Amino acid sequence: MWAGIAGLLVVVSLTYCLLGSFVGGGVSPFRYFLTIAQALVNQSNDAVPSPWTLRLFLMSWWFTAYIIAISYTCNLIAFLTIPKYPVRLETAQDLADSYHRVCMMNYGNDTGEFFAQSPNPALSTIAKKMDLLPLIRTLPYSNTLACLKLVATGTHAMLDGESYLTSVVQDSGYGDRMYFLKERINEGAIHFYFRKNTPWKHKFDEGMSGLLNSGFIGKWMDEINQMLKGKLYEKKPEGQQALRLDHLQGTFLVLAVGWCLALVTFLAERRLGGRERNL
């Protein structure tokens, strides 16, 4: 972008100088260049050329330079006032390519081995950087908060069941600091445990099979997860936060630096001008 603006400045200066030589402006090429360059830094000209050809050319250039200057100013203010958030991970491949490690509670299952043997390169990469945390029943959430703390520091991502993880994040107060990947890595089955030789188990199997085949179980699970996630990401009642002085401090710092440079330039010009008058 800067190379394009520099090239545009050279082309416009040469064109303006060429027009001035045709209409007989009687001004040096350096003066023509200063006239063109002043518009990019929002400096006014002390004189406007009399030929109408140069005036029309300057009018179009001033309009272009104004757009460039105002665009730069707006982007600078946005850069100084709006924080830049990291890239949001959405898929397992994004997680595998990122610097994040993956933490998971050590349930004693074969998830890590399944990931390591998976033909999917993203899952095999995740398995290489997976950290298993011990499952401690005496601690809240069986030590799941230790994994959530690693996620909150920005070094890890957590792998667990969606409904369980959604509930834990909501109850532990981490809802405003975390989000869920859109891609589901592993879809698990729903289990119900009964005592051996339970006489009415076959009736339960028939009812559950009907609910599963009709899609009611999946619909209810999605509604529960969406409800919990909605509580995680619901907007605060105060709404958008107004800009305060601390949000704009960068702009004022740049303004103060500009004033200091302008003062130094003014003093230097005054001192040099005094020397020339004495000579």
Side-chain angles (χ1 to χ4, degrees):
M1 182 188 68
W2 288 113
I5 293 178
L8 178 64
L9 181 63
V10 173
V11 172
V12 173
S13 300
L14 293 177
T15 306
Y16 186 57
C17 182
L18 185 62
L19 287 176
S21 63
F22 286 157
V23 299
V27 183
S28 65
F30 182 71
R31 182 62 181 175
Y32 282 133
F33 175 78
L34 287 181
T35 301
I36 297 300
Q38 282 177 336
L40 286 178
V41 290
N42 286 334
Q43 297 296 317
S44 60
N45 297 101
D46 54 357
V48 179
S50 55
W52 65 268
T53 305
L54 297 182
R55 291 194 174 193
L56 287 177
F57 183 83
L58 276 182
M59 180 183 67
S60 60
W61 166 244
W62 284 341
F63 182 74
T64 304
Y66 176 76
I67 295 177
I68 295 175
I70 200 67
S71 300
Y72 172 77
T73 304
C74 294
N75 279 278
L76 178 62
I77 294 176
F79 174 78
L80 295 174
T81 56
I82 301 177
K84 183 179 180 181
Y85 295 101
V87 179
R88 189 182 181 95
L89 306 179
E90 299 292 353
T91 64
Q93 188 63 51
D94 294 341
L95 179 59
D97 296 338
S98 69
Y99 64 88
H100 294 82
R101 296 188 63 83
V102 179
C103 65
M104 180 180 177
M105 306 308 299
N106 190 4
Y107 295 112
N109 53 23
D110 54 354
T111 301
E113 184 178 354
F114 166 73
F115 276 29
Q117 298 176 357
S118 174
N120 189 337
L123 298 184
S124 59
T125 303
I126 291 175
K128 295 177 182 178
K129 54 181 183 179
M130 183 178 294
D131 299 328
L132 296 178
L133 299 185
L135 200 67
I136 304 176
R137 301 292 184 182
T138 57
L139 294 179
Y141 306 105
S142 301
N143 199 33
T144 305
L145 293 181
C147 194
L148 290 179
K149 290 179 181 179
L150 294 176
V151 178
T153 58
T155 59
H156 286 68
M158 186 174 178
L159 179 64
D160 213 314
E162 181 182 10
S163 58
Y164 170 74
L165 190 56
T166 304
S167 178
V168 171
V169 171
Q170 169 68 22
D171 294 340
S172 58
Y174 284 97
D176 57 343
R177 303 172 62 184
M178 300 180 184
Y179 67 93
F180 290 82
L181 295 180
K182 287 186 177 180
E183 181 181 6
R184 296 181 180 179
I185 296 178
N186 184 24
E187 302 235 4
I190 301 174
H191 302 278
F192 292 91
Y193 296 93
F194 298 96
R195 292 186 62 180
K196 211 169 186 181
N197 300 322
T198 301
W200 43 267
K201 179 180 176 299
H202 67 283
K203 289 293 185 181
F204 184 84
D205 291 342
E206 292 177 1
M208 289 302 300
S209 298
L211 291 175
L212 287 172
N213 294 332
S214 62
F216 280 105
I217 297 296
K219 181 178 184 301
W220 292 335
M221 290 294 297
D222 289 339
E223 288 179 353
I224 293 174
N225 290 331
Q226 291 299 327
M227 179 188 65
L228 292 175
K229 289 180 181 180
K231 292 181 180 179
L232 293 180
Y233 306 131
E234 62 184 1
K235 295 183 179 180
K236 297 182 179 180
E238 59 268 18
Q240 295 182 351
Q241 186 179 6
L243 289 178
R244 300 193 303 270
L245 184 60
D246 53 345
H247 295 149
L248 301 173
Q249 58 184 351
T251 306
F252 287 103
L253 289 176
V254 174
L255 179 61
V257 172
W259 281 348
C260 293
L261 293 177
L263 178 61
V264 171
T265 305
F266 170 75
L267 294 177
E269 290 180 350
R270 185 177 180 85
R271 185 174 181 84
L272 293 175
R275 286 184 178 182
E276 291 178 358
R277 285 194 298 269
N278 293 332
L279 293 177

